[in-house]
């Protein structure tokens, strides 16, 4: 067989080959030499036949298992390879068993009591008592740590004793899961063996003492190792995934709207310029201004730029999404968008993620119904799937956040017209800082009064805004002075979602562009959608980080995105 | 009740209110006046009580249904509103029944024969015979059209007769689903009523005659209405969703890596500069060079830029993902990345989406196993969920693509070392354009020989490359001259995935930075991950558009992303 394969390797169409005998050799070797885990360092000196992984189960970190086994194999196993022996099957991939899997079930791990388990993670705290040492280990799969209990009998205890297993260190722990006598957890790991994987320098900045969020923003690479930022990351992930689930289950197609655009029909808000005229390497810091290509008139010569004209970072994928909605019926975007606004507030980022669904054959009622169903779906998903994290937020970040979310998931959403909202505000027994009159934009104080007070914490959609305060593409209502716009207001956050029915009538849209002195030529492709098989359509936009704030109660938007970009700050 | 609610509206905590009697009025009205759909134009003149949608089922496009019903309500229904009547419940959102839902089942729609259905979509073709007219309507939910058959009895037939219902027009059709006598489909719609929603100007550029893909790139806003681009959009969507599903089901957390970065530790490949020094409004086209802030030395004054220093578009989220992997164990990114390379090829985009998983407590074997399982999962997902689209690609784009994908989903993936791969190439009975020797990077011809010829169409992972041709962060193997890198090669595409185990040993990594004359200060936070609880970790990167090319057989990468960005081109 080996000879046949050797010949075949040199011809065009050979069958798949594996080393014909290495498996047998491996198995017979290990039947004589059962795997006895050894201390972790030195790190992997993998014997050559470990390259072939198909003969053993993946044990979640074969680098560690290989290290544990190192030295078991004699050097004489090394030998020259023949072509016919090249090519081994790639090993099997299996889901890691993490702390969340162990403790996350309905009985919080009691069903696994008695099992021998391995936990790999980072030491959160270390507590030595007279005869027993407690290690709290976290692997990021859950807020919960695994409490590891050991005494001096445990293999590797010397490393614990020597102080190497300190806060921030990474370890591999093997032990038996037992019922815990503590009140904080149902189970704990009775350690038989501990391996220090990576020590933590004493300068580790995230020690047990509480550190401020401002400080942690300067340690954005380490802050996910804290309770708060770990929980934010998991809830953010749950919101993202349930966003995809909601739209996919409802027949929407995910569209990647472009990030860089030289199209002339953006322009809402300040934009970042994207260019290669400024040296694109790391020497940018020393770029002379006069090295920038210019025309005879001293203007920047955009024809020499990468795209041949000025290009910018997108502020919204909506117009692009409309092109796909008018072909595929229902689509959504989920991608980054940008604002070059010099806003140093707790609600603004220069780079943030937006979700922008667009529905064809749909009007504002469909749009509101979709936005409502969407928000209720993702909130329900987080309440159901992130219980522990939500309880953490409820205790430490915003008391009552769970009740607030339950309200959103269960209560009916209310709609009322802008005109009614103004009437309601005018009749309210309250002095607002910003005076209320028809035609003004609603301020945060107005929005929060409506949702928090007038409608008792129920999300409210205000619709049919004056056309003068809304974008050109929104559909004019029959009254001629309002448009089919809607803003969803939620307690604490205010506006969470903004949407509209789009103007699908070519003549109305062209008139509106003229009124606003916008160039019809620039919008040629957007107008084409109304020229060829136009349909009523509607959509909305949701700032994803606002949603994470809403769901977690975290006050500063810089703390709900891994690496926030704000004026003067684009580190990491 | 109304009076109580009126008082409550003006106090802080009121219960939720709805108009107490409008529902009853509405229901009694419609019980006396059953809904009789009317011709579509004029577009929505919605009577006031349509603002309240909770008393009727959403019928997939209430703008159309409202239009259909317009005129049924007397103007006298309008009246002044009281505060207590403000606020209606938002209507229910339901999944639209689309053509894919009707025809997509195992019996291709036969189970629905006899049902009265409404289809909304765009006319693909129009064929008038002596007594009967055939309309092919597509709503983008599937490649399949709904064949609509009508004779002159159908309501609205005059619009068909007048030629308004032409290719590209959008229509609303109601009829009875019947078994089709044609061979192309099992069912068709016997039309009772047709409504022209939006006519199509005769200049519609996508007529029945086949148009080139080059031409369609200039019509990126309309090309999703073609068979090819509709199918690409659906398969792309399926690949994206199954990507999320795979990682979520395996306990990975989605991380949004930053798009804009002023961090000094990128720099692989040419980067786009992101700036607000050049006027960020639409007047950029007339920007004088000397308006750019400069220092006394004539250098660009970056301190005045938005981020206070030069900032760029990211080329990879890997380093950022590593920070989260070393906190949450397993993470992945899925977001846009950028290259300012002046490559006008069918394989390069300036803006493309990348998937970058990062696994902690994992080595190269785990990484290869993950990449293999991932690719097999998404390919299987597409084969199972996009059958019709895949048959289209198999017939019209790349004959054999389904077999090729089935191979990937079912065959074992092979791994071999770079050293073995070189040996294999040297022994191959083939003259390569690029000579082969140890230390050279593998060229496309080599990669395709390995996967297509030597291993007979089986995906092959080449691992353990010479360190000199790989990135600084890859983990040095014990031989001191190779690193734990891997490239997955697949037939037709060549390299689809590239990954590596990361150097987790602080001293090795610092030495490597020194060797390559990279600044350790710039990498301070990346080095911190090795300073505090370092763990073996590994990951890979996958260009999402390459994956779409791989799965569909579409040759030019510009045709697998909605709005391609390439040198000189950032339209739409």
């Amino acid at each position: 067989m080996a000879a046949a394969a050797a010949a075949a390797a040199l011809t065009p169409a050979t069958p798949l080959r594996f080393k014909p005998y290495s498996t047998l050799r491996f198995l017979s070797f290990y039947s004589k030499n059962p795997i006895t885990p050894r201390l972790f360092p030195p790190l992997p000196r993998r014997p050559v036949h470990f390259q072939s992984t198909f003969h053993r189960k993946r044990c979640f970190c074969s680098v560690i298992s290989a290290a544990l086994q190192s030295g078991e194999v004699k050097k004489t196993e090394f030998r020259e390879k023949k072509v016919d022996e090249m090519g081994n099957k790639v090993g099997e991939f299996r889901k890691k068993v993490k702390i969340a899997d162990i403790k996350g079930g309905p009985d919080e791990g009691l069903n696994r009591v008695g099992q021998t388990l391995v936990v790999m993670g980072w030491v959160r705290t270390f507590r030595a008592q007279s005869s027993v040492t407690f290690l709290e280990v976290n692997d990021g799969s859950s807020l919960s740590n695994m409490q590891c209990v050991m005494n001096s009998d445990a293999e590797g205890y010397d490393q614990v004793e020597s102080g190497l297993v300190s806060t921030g260190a990474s370890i591999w722990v093997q032990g038996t899961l037992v019922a815990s006598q503590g009140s904080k957890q149902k189970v704990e790991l009775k350690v038989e063996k501990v391996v220090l994987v990576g020590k933590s320098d004493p300068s580790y900045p995230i020690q047990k003492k509480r550190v401020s969020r401002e400080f942690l923003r300067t340690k954005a690479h380490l802050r996910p190792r804290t309770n708060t930022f770990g929980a934010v990351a998991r809830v953010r992930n749950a919101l993202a995934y349930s966003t995809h689930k909601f739209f996919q289950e409802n027949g929407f197609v995910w569209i990647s709207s472009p990030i860089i655009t030289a199209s002339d029909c953006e322009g809402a808000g300040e934009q970042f310029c994207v260019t290669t005229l400024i040296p694109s390497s790391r020497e940018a810091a020393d770029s002379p201004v006069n090295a920038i290509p210019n025309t005879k008139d001293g203007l920047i010569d955009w024809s020499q730029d990468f795209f041949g004209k000025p290009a910018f970072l997108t502020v919204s994928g909506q117009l692009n999404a409309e092109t796909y909605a008018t072909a595929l019926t229902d689509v959504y975007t989920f991608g980054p968008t940008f604002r070059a606004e010099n806003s140093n507030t707790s609600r603004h980022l220069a780079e943030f993620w937006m979700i922008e669904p667009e529905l064809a054959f749909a009007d504002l009622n469909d749009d509101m119904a979709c936005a409502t169903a969407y928000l209720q779906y993702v909130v329900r998903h987080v309440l159901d799937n992130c219980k522990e994290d939500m309880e953490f937020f409820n205790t430490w970040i915003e008391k009552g956040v769970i009740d607030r979310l339950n309200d959103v998931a269960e209560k009916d959403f209310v709609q009322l017209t802008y005109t009614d909202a103004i009437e309601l505000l005018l009749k309210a027994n309250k002095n607002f800082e910003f005076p209320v009159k028809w035609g003004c934009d609603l301020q945060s104080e107005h929005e929060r009064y409506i949702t928090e007070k007038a409608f008792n914490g129920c999300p409210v959609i205000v619709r049919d805004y004056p056309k003068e305060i809304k974008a050109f593409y929104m559909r004019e209502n029959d009254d001629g002075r309002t448009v089919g716009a809607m803003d969803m207001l939620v307690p604490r956050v205010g506006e969470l979602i903004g949407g509209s029915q789009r103007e699908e009538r070519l003549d109305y849209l062209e008139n509106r562009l003229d009124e606003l002195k916008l160039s019809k030529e620039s919008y040629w492709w957007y107008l084409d959608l109304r020229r060829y098989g136009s349909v009523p359509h509607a959509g909305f936009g949701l700032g994803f980080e606002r949603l994470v704030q809403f769901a977690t109660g975290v006050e500063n938007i810089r703390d709900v995105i891994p690496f926030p970009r704000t004026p003067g700050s684009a580190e990491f």
Side-chain angles (χ1 to χ4, degrees), chain A residues 517-533:
Chain A
K517 298 194 168 42
L518 293 166
S519 149
K520 279 183 292 206
E521 288 67 40
S522 299
Y523 289 88
W524 68 273
W525 56 270
Y526 192 66
L527 293 169
D528 265 6
L529 304 181
R530 281 76 181 161
R531 198 167 275 128
Y532 308 118

Side-chain angles (χ1 to χ4, degrees), chain A residues 266-272 312-315 338-341:
Chain A
E266 299 230 358
E270 299 285 298
Q271 288 184 271
F272 288 102
F312 301 89
L313 290 181
T314 185
V315 297
F338 306 84
R339 295 278 192 290
E341 279 164 29

Side-chain angles (χ1 to χ4, degrees), chain A residues 243-463:
Chain A
T243 294
H244 287 295
K245 273 173 73 80
F246 174 82
F247 288 114
Q248 296 286 338
E249 287 167 6
N250 283 289
F252 287 63
V253 174
W254 175 72
I255 297 297
S256 43
S257 49
I259 311 301
I260 300 172
T261 174
S263 170
D264 281 333
C265 59
E266 299 230 358
E270 299 285 298
Q271 288 184 271
F272 288 102
C273 183
V274 174
T275 182
T276 54
L277 293 180
I278 298 171
S280 59
S281 74
R282 287 297 157 183
E283 289 86 56
D286 298 325
S287 300
V289 168
N290 64 18
I292 296 173
N294 56 79
T295 64
K296 270 179 289 187
D297 308 326
L299 301 178
I300 295 170
D301 185 2
W302 293 108
S303 72
Q304 295 191 45
D305 205 353
F306 190 90
F307 297 108
K309 54 176 171 165
F312 301 89
L313 290 181
T314 185
V315 297
S316 159
Q318 178 203 314
L319 305 191
N320 298 92
E322 285 184 52
T323 70
Y324 269 70
T326 52
L328 306 178
T329 304
D330 292 332
V331 302
Y332 69 109
T333 72
F334 188 176
T337 52
F338 306 84
R339 295 278 192 290
E341 279 164 29
N342 199 2
S343 302
N344 258 308
T345 79
S346 63
R347 289 167 50 87
H348 290 89
L349 291 168
E351 171 183 314
F352 56 99
W353 287 66
M354 282 255 278
I355 295 156
E356 297 184 283
E358 192 72 31
L359 298 74
F361 297 99
D363 68 0
L364 194 66
N365 288 326
D366 299 318
D367 202 33
M368 294 190 300
C370 180
T372 300
Y374 163 73
L375 187 63
Q376 291 189 319
Y377 183 95
V378 298
V379 163
R380 173 54 55 209
H381 181 89
V382 165
L383 289 171
D384 289 347
N385 292 279
C386 306
K387 284 200 170 75
E388 192 187 35
D389 291 322
M390 287 312 303
E391 274 159 27
F392 173 82
F393 292 125
N394 206 44
T395 305
W396 297 102
I397 304 292
E398 180 201 338
K399 292 203 197 317
V401 60
I402 291 179
D403 286 344
R404 184 163 62 72
L405 294 187
N406 268 319
D407 278 359
V408 168
E410 282 159 20
K411 282 190 182 175
D412 289 317
F413 283 37
V414 174
Q415 56 169 312
L416 80 167
T417 64
Y418 168 89
T419 303
D420 284 355
I422 293 292
E423 207 176 318
L424 187 150
L425 291 168
L426 287 172
K427 291 179 180 168
N429 200 3
K430 185 167 167 36
N431 284 322
F432 294 110
E433 186 189 344
F434 293 90
V436 174
K437 73 168 193 183
W438 200 97
C440 74
D441 212 351
L442 297 184
Q443 301 296 321
S444 191
E445 56 171 345
H446 307 140
E447 293 175 343
R448 293 187 62 172
Y449 173 82
I450 293 170
T451 172
E452 292 173 7
K453 306 292 184 196
F455 289 94
N456 192 23
C458 185
V460 176
I461 296 178
V462 177
R463 55 179 287 176

Side-chain angles (χ1 to χ4, degrees), chain A residues 44 51 68 86 181 241 306 308 333 353 373 446 499:
Chain A
Q51 285 178 340
L68 292 171
M86 293 172 188
Q181 291 168 354
Y241 187 48
F306 190 90
T333 72
W353 287 66
H446 307 140

